[in-house]
Amino acid sequence: MALIQIFIVLSLVFLLLHIMPGDPAVLALGTDRTVDPQVVEALRHELGLDKPILEQYLIYIKNVANLNFGNSITDKVPVMSYIAERIPRTIELAFLSIIVASIIGVVLGMVAALERKKAADIITTSLAALGISLPVFVLGTLFIYVFSFSLRLLPAGGFIALSKNAGAHYARLVLPVATLALPMAASIARMTRSSMLEVLNKEFVQTLYAKGLSRQKVVFGHVLRNAMIPIVTIIGLQFGNLIGGTVLIEYLFNLPGLCSVLLKAISYRDYPLIQGCIFVMSSFYILVNMFVDILYGALDPRVR
Amino acid sequence: MSNCLLEVKDLVTAFTTSKGPLRAVDGVSFQVNSGELIGVVGESGSGKSLTSLSIMGLVPYPGKVVSGEIFFEGQDLLKLEEAEMVKIRGKNIAMIFQDSRVSLDPVCRCGEQIVEAIRTHEKATREEARERALELIGLVGIPNPARCVNAYPHELSGGMCQRIMIAIALSCRPKLLIADEPTTALDVTVQAQILELLDKLRHDFDMSVILITHNLGVVAGVADRIAVMYAGQIMELGDIGEILNHPMHPYTQGLIKSIPKLEVSSKRLYSISGTVPALDKMPSGCRFEQRCPEAMALCATVLPEMCVLSDGQYVCCHKYDTWRSAYE
Ligand SMILES: Nc1ncnc2c1ncn2[C@@H]1O[C@H](COP(=O)(O)OP(=O)(O)O)[C@@H](O)[C@H]1O
Ligand SMILES: [Mg+2]
């Protein structure tokens, strides 16, 4: 199933790139008008762009199956090594953000559901509304302004390898992770709250109390698990989107991740690089969805 | 009485609303003796569930017990802290509910739900508890208990789920079992089986049962005594045989007439005309007055008092004002 999805995505990418106007070979050689047509022709041949489109497509599919995306047009580095270098940074950012967002979101949402009609609920819901409505780049800029320029607590961005200096590595991740996590935490909190409230009103909760269970045991032993499916869904959706959704953040915080590669690839019409990036991103998205489906089954016997 | 297990005295349970407190249970008093099965009968909305939830200390928000006393083995449950009530719920007083399929945790195996009930109140290892759960499942008449422990509620029928509910309720050998419409959601044949089971188990386990139903026919065969409730109050209380043969209250008479009988199924089923008055529109007089075929002028304005007809027979109706008041 997941393989078919990936195949469809790749075919669409191929089609789209070939429909778009503009010759990649010309672009790759620079915008200089005086480019020798013979040189362009040589490059087109090297890239296989002079072959019929169907043949190009078949070659493309065969290469992808072998995880071979060829070399980047612009600097001749193999696409896969390019991606392999950059993707750990994006994945680290995505994982940290989703973990932070999930913890904050679920905890806040639970507090709001259990302390219904009280101050905690009002604070959480209004925070959540704010977090959802604020665009990430506004939030990111605000964070940089407050924590880097005004308070001088954290670096505004950049990248230092973990092996070089772990402290500095993570210090540079705090702001981007916070920027990404906050709006996600807000939606997760909202979903957690409404899902918990729904489950708390179900009849089996009364049975649990009638058995003599304490409130904590009812909430943590039963209600949370029953409320989990919509929460897992929204976390999965956000995580799937995150791998492509970090573009602005990587840009804003000057992080050399996958998204910066993609931006560069698009502006130079670097076919192999674009295809590689999209392959990785869509595979990630599809894998996350597959994992969420498996989780559903584990969480709810009725789904199995 | 010496063998009185539970005594509810003048219980008032109300919902706080913008229109002020609405008394859904209004001055209910009755007692349950050891080993007896008492039926609580009345149309929906007469406050039967709320009465039982008041006993359990589980009245849903924004409801609240306003006044009264509930003595269980001589101890007023209403004076207990939540931490103490938790030790009584499920252990000394257990409760089962109407729709058993939604009353079990859908993501938790049936056996596990029984094990949890046992381990909440007793120091038993997981294995001991599992063994007892298996035993209980057999006891409530489920064929193939070994399969059932590992089943999820959605894999079982409504009747089987209700048996699991009963197994959970019995897990700590309670002294009192409150069954709130335990058969309403079930087929007629399954209904009869569950009632039979409850009747058998109360003897085996030597426990008292409060059996709540809107269908007088359900309790007719199994109850020792019944309390007839209407609009938050008890209208008639006493021995089941006595009430079935000589119903005194016009409401009870109406309920008896509306019991479906197999032989006359061709005729239209009798039902008392009108509906239970809304909580915010309770009349100041007798609450049944608007629907009562025998209403008198007095009924519209003055709330009748509970009268003692004979030992243990009570009725709340102006027709019997000449009898001695229950409070004298
Ligand atoms: N959450 C609630 N808020 C307001 N009124 C309620 C609520 N729950 C029950 N009631 C009212 O309390 C009355 C008694 O309800 P209940 O005890 O469930 O009746 P029964 O079990 O006899 O059908 C009904 O009039 C019902 O409308
Ligand atoms: Mg009810």
Side-chain angles (χ1 to χ4, degrees), chain A residues 69-138:
Chain A
F69 290 93
N71 295 341
S72 158
I73 295 180
T74 35
D75 46 17
K76 308 288 185 249
V77 181
V79 167
M80 265 317 179
S81 72
Y82 227 129
I83 290 174
E85 186 204 343
R86 301 298 185 97
I87 201 167
R89 299 164 190 169
T90 298
I91 288 197
E92 182 184 28
L93 180 63
F95 263 96
L96 282 177
S97 310
I98 200 72
I99 289 169
V100 170
S102 303
I103 293 172
I104 295 177
V106 171
V107 169
L108 273 185
M110 282 181 65
V111 170
L114 296 174
E115 310 287 300
R116 190 156 36 135
K117 305 249 172 6
K118 292 184 197 151
D121 184 24
I122 298 165
I123 293 170
T124 319
T125 25
S126 37
L127 253 184
L130 195 73
I132 289 169
S133 54
L134 218 57
V136 279
F137 59 90
V138 174

Side-chain angles (χ1 to χ4, degrees), chain B residues 15 17 22-25 42-51 53 60-63 180-181 212 214 229 232 276-279 282:
Chain B
F15 287 100
T17 65
L22 297 178
R23 296 168 158 222
V25 174
E43 290 162 288
S44 338
S46 40
K48 307 181 298 291
S49 299
L50 221 46
T51 304
L53 291 174
Y61 182 86
D180 188 354
E181 310 251 10
I212 295 171
H214 64 270
M229 268 191 90
V276 183
L279 285 183
M282 280 299 168

Side-chain angles (χ1 to χ4, degrees), chain B residues 94-169:
Chain B
M95 185 163 180
I96 60 176
F97 299 92
Q98 173 165 347
D99 196 344
S100 50
R101 299 200 69 171
V102 296
S103 293
L104 291 168
D105 183 345
V107 304
C108 191
R109 291 179 202 275
C110 293
E112 206 44 49
Q113 305 198 33
I114 303 175
V115 166
E116 186 180 35
I118 294 171
R119 284 169 48 94
T120 299
H121 297 288
E122 288 168 30
K123 279 194 172 45
T125 64
R126 184 156 281 282
E127 286 68 39
E128 283 164 6
R130 269 189 83 82
E131 215 147 283
R132 272 178 57 194
L134 206 63
E135 209 176 295
L136 279 162
I137 291 177
L139 210 63
V140 294
I142 292 177
N144 200 349
R147 209 199 104 240
C148 188
V149 265
N150 289 322
Y152 287 97
H154 72 276
E155 296 168 339
L156 302 177
S157 68
M160 286 301 148
C161 282
Q162 194 57 281
R163 286 171 199 266
I164 296 286
M165 284 289 292
I166 294 172
I168 291 174

Side-chain angles (χ1 to χ4, degrees), chain A residues 24-183:
Chain A
V26 176
L27 274 172
L29 291 170
T31 41
D32 196 350
R33 293 234 169 212
T34 57
V35 175
D36 185 350
Q38 258 178 349
V39 179
V40 174
E41 208 43 55
L43 187 60
R44 283 180 65 88
H45 180 74
E46 188 195 324
L47 292 170
L49 290 172
D50 52 351
K51 296 200 180 83
I53 199 152
L54 193 68
E55 202 183 328
Q56 283 189 47
Y57 178 66
L58 289 175
I59 293 170
Y60 164 71
I61 292 296
K62 194 177 125 242
N63 284 339
V64 168
N66 298 322
L67 285 185
N68 170 16
F69 290 93
N71 295 341
S72 158
I73 295 180
T74 35
D75 46 17
K76 308 288 185 249
V77 181
V79 167
M80 265 317 179
S81 72
Y82 227 129
I83 290 174
E85 186 204 343
R86 301 298 185 97
I87 201 167
R89 299 164 190 169
T90 298
I91 288 197
E92 182 184 28
L93 180 63
F95 263 96
L96 282 177
S97 310
I98 200 72
I99 289 169
V100 170
S102 303
I103 293 172
I104 295 177
V106 171
V107 169
L108 273 185
M110 282 181 65
V111 170
L114 296 174
E115 310 287 300
R116 190 156 36 135
K117 305 249 172 6
K118 292 184 197 151
D121 184 24
I122 298 165
I123 293 170
T124 319
T125 25
S126 37
L127 253 184
L130 195 73
I132 289 169
S133 54
L134 218 57
V136 279
F137 59 90
V138 174
L139 199 63
T141 318
L142 195 74
F143 276 174
I144 292 178
Y145 182 77
V146 174
F147 294 103
S148 296
F149 292 121
S150 297
L151 300 175
R152 300 194 170 280
L153 284 174
L154 291 161
F159 178 81
I160 289 179
L162 182 60
S163 50
K164 244 188 229 157
N165 183 344
H169 173 81
Y170 286 115
R172 275 162 183 74
L173 275 171
V174 172
L175 285 183
V177 166
T179 310
L180 277 172
L182 208 74

